[in-house]
Amino acid sequence: MKKSLALMSLLAVLAAAGCGSGDAGANTLSFLGPEDPKTFQPVIDGFEAKHPGVRIAYTQIPFDQLNSTLQQRLAAEDETIDVYTVDQPRVSALAARGFLADLSDWKDRVKQAALPAQYDVNEFRGKLWSVPIWTSDQFLFYNKTLLKQAGVTPPSSDPAERWTWERTVEAGKQAQARGGAQWALIPEQIEQYYQLQSLPESLGGGSGITGTDMLTPALTTDGWIKAMTWYRNLFAGGLAPRGVGSFQTSPLFTEGKVAFFAGGPWDVGTFGAAKDLDWGVAPYPYFEGGKQVTPTGSWSWGINPASKKQRLAREFLEYAALDPEGNLLTTKASPIIPANRAAFEKYVPTLDALAGEKSRGAGEILTYDADHTAVARPRSVGYIQFEDTMTKTFADIRNGADPKTRLEQAAREVTTAWAQLR
């Protein structure tokens, strides 16, 4: 009975997705993704205005169901999906399974149009499979009131004066001891590889994946062990909370409980709406003696090879990724960073002004990081299994597991999961 109900539930999700995007009209293009429809409405309106008679039918699939839904339908060569959003580290796995149309004739155009770190993530085995739409960065937000009460001078927004993690922790401890802060430092994506990759990378530990085929785990390097020891101590020392999940952390900052918060540009709007919160923004930290590394990467778009509307699908991708006007429209309804260089340059001043004086300097940080410190997640056909393993590993270390022992276990788990991919 339970299996029957589960099957019925899955079929309902697939049917709903199909119904939302299944208009078979020759001039209707189906588009799938996890975002709220309001996010994509501006770019859809812009494209439709330039293509009279064409309709973009967008279907939202919840993020936790997106990958399974896409794989079910793409494996069945479902023609009712034309364009879909692609989490960038998953490009390799999707391309290897034949789920993305080859866009290699656009290589030069995409290289010229995209920000530096936004091209390679769309390549696999020498071919281009998707186009970058958004990118990302991480900032160090700080509570001005708590720091002032503790007698701590806030960090500068100048990338040349970027703080280290060690200095940030010490300042956070002072804010706890003398400023009334409940927590010293909290990373927004508290157990997610996207944010935590930068820690071992800064210490020279690498991404955790190596080899010519990118199917060899490298999680027991000195950099990884040192970074994860620092990470464990953050929670063991009461500087950051246990029991709070990723993306559940920002309310703690808006409530005035956190001295330092490592989060993304999307938080500028959220924190700006908190009228009683006095905050500022500074560059994302790095380890003393290490490399300055900032997280980056976001969503690309790709085309279903089974789609019967390849020409129209390519026109839509061209508008959304290569046309600065279209790419900028993908960010109009949400403070997400456009991956197109020309669109990015127009976007930066709007981020600086989004929260008035509080967000001043965010644009300069964003520009500097995009050109100098951004490091994308690794490209591997086994990234999905790797990320799942690392989420559990980070959770265990956060809760007190020995970093070296847990990383060794993670390496074994990843090796086993990847055996079938070789």
Side-chain angles (χ1 to χ4, degrees):
M1 182 64 177
K2 289 183 178 179
K3 289 183 178 179
S4 297
L5 289 173
L7 179 60
M8 290 174 64
S9 177
L10 175 61
L11 291 175
V13 170
L14 298 180
C19 289
S21 60
D23 186 331
N27 292 324
T28 297
L29 197 71
S30 66
F31 174 34
L32 267 66
E35 305 292 339
D36 186 294
K38 294 179 181 178
T39 300
F40 293 129
Q41 198 57 53
V43 70
I44 289 173
D45 290 343
F47 182 77
E48 290 179 348
K50 290 179 175 291
H51 298 77
V54 172
R55 175 174 174 260
I56 305 297
Y58 175 71
T59 299
Q60 179 186 9
I61 306 295
F63 178 77
D64 59 355
Q65 299 174 25
L66 179 65
N67 288 319
S68 60
T69 299
L70 283 173
Q71 291 191 42
Q72 288 278 348
R73 296 179 64 184
L74 294 171
E77 298 185 358
D78 186 342
E79 299 176 3
T80 64
I81 299 176
D82 297 311
V83 174
Y84 63 95
T85 62
V86 183
D87 192 11
Q88 289 174 344
R90 289 170 163 77
V91 170
S92 296
L94 291 167
R97 295 192 63 184
F99 293 165
L100 287 166
D102 187 353
L103 302 174
S104 296
D105 58 307
W106 280 0
K107 277 187 175 185
D108 291 341
R109 294 182 64 193
V110 175
K111 281 182 181 179
Q112 184 176 2
L115 291 166
Q118 279 296 301
Y119 176 80
D120 288 347
V121 291
N122 298 283
E123 263 200 352
F124 175 65
R125 293 176 180 167
K127 294 184 177 181
L128 183 71
W129 300 99
S130 55
V131 291
I133 300 297
W134 298 331
T135 186
S136 64
D137 196 4
Q138 289 285 295
F139 300 143
L140 181 66
F141 296 94
Y142 57 89
N143 185 308
K144 290 183 178 180
T145 302
L146 296 178
L147 296 188
K148 183 178 181 180
Q149 291 173 174
V152 174
T153 300
S156 169
S157 63
D158 185 350
E161 299 179 26
R162 189 184 303 264
W163 276 20
T164 63
W165 286 117
E166 291 88 348
R167 182 176 181 181
T168 305
V169 165
E170 288 305 311
K173 287 180 178 178
Q174 292 180 49
Q176 281 183 303
R178 301 196 300 268
Q182 182 175 353
W183 307 108
L185 167 64
I186 299 180
E188 180 172 38
Q189 298 183 45
I190 210 161
E191 292 173 355
Q192 299 300 312
Y193 179 81
Y194 161 81
Q195 184 153 31
L196 300 182
Q197 174 193 357
S198 61
L199 301 180
E201 292 271 16
S202 177
L203 289 169
S207 70
I209 302 178
T210 190
T212 55
D213 58 358
M214 291 297 282
L215 285 173
T216 301
L219 293 166
T220 56
T221 62
D222 289 344
W224 266 94
I225 293 171
K226 184 176 179 180
M228 288 300 99
T229 299
W230 178 89
Y231 172 73
R232 181 196 60 182
N233 292 342
L234 198 63
F235 302 94
L239 305 179
R242 288 171 172 160
V244 181
S246 293
F247 292 112
Q248 297 176 346
T249 50
S250 59
L252 297 176
F253 187 78
T254 56
E255 291 166 7
K257 299 178 180 179
V258 184
F260 294 100
F261 184 85
W266 47 85
D267 290 313
V268 173
T270 301
F271 298 158
K275 296 180 180 179
D276 297 328
L277 183 68
D278 193 12
W279 56 274
V281 62
Y284 192 74
Y286 68 105
F287 283 111
E288 184 177 346
K291 182 181 179 181
Q292 295 185 8
V293 176
T294 52
T296 192
S298 187
W299 292 90
S300 291
W301 291 2
I303 298 174
N304 175 16
S307 167
K308 299 301 183 183
K309 303 170 186 174
Q310 296 289 319
R311 180 191 59 77
L312 189 59
R314 286 171 68 97
E315 288 181 7
F316 186 42
L317 261 64
E318 186 174 25
Y319 179 68
L322 302 180
D323 185 329
E325 173 190 297
N327 192 234
L328 196 59
L329 286 174
T330 67
T331 70
K332 185 176 182 179
S334 181
I336 305 171
I337 308 170
N340 180 287
R341 166 65 77 178
F344 176 88
E345 291 173 353
K346 292 183 178 180
Y347 170 85
V348 166
T350 66
L351 182 65
D352 255 343
L354 189 59
E357 185 63 32
K358 296 175 182 178
S359 58
R360 190 175 303 279
E364 180 184 2
I365 298 169
L366 197 63
T367 301
Y368 182 88
D369 289 354
D371 287 332
H372 298 94
T373 65
V375 175
R377 289 164 287 178
R379 291 177 289 163
S380 170
V381 294
Y383 179 81
I384 297 173
Q385 297 92 328
F386 175 78
E387 184 181 57
D388 289 344
T389 298
M390 294 314 300
T391 300
K392 298 171 186 175
T393 301
F394 294 140
D396 289 344
I397 293 174
R398 175 187 175 192
N399 289 319
D402 176 71
K404 183 175 184 296
T405 302
R406 188 60 183 90
L407 288 168
E408 289 172 345
Q409 177 186 338
R412 292 192 297 270
E413 293 171 352
V414 171
T415 298
T416 299
W418 282 350
Q420 60 184 331
L421 301 178
R422 293 184 178 278

